[in-house]
Amino acid sequence: MDYVSALVPPVVMAVFFIGLIVTIVKTQGGANKAKEDAAVDAAVSRAESVRQSPGAGSA
């Protein structure tokens, strides 16, 4: 029975890891892709405008 207790943790971790990978693959693209891309683009443009604003005022 020692072999069973030695194999259970790696098997459990493998099952959860496979589930995580399947979830990541399923959520890539799809209907929400455009909305997620727009949110990322908006956040990047806000970060760039904040970074550029103080530099322009001090020169």
Side-chain angles (χ1 to χ4, degrees):
M1 289 304 287
D2 288 338
Y3 61 91
V4 173
S5 62
L7 289 176
V8 168
V11 170
V12 170
M13 287 190 295
V15 168
F16 281 117
F17 183 72
I18 291 170
L20 175 67
I21 297 301
V22 168
T23 302
I24 289 172
V25 169
K26 282 186 176 180
T27 58
Q28 296 298 310
N32 291 329
K33 184 172 183 1
K35 186 168 51 170
E36 292 170 356
D37 288 346
V40 169
D41 289 341
V44 168
S45 64
R46 265 189 312 229
E48 287 177 352
S49 68
V50 167
R51 185 175 51 123
Q52 291 173 356
S53 293
S58 63

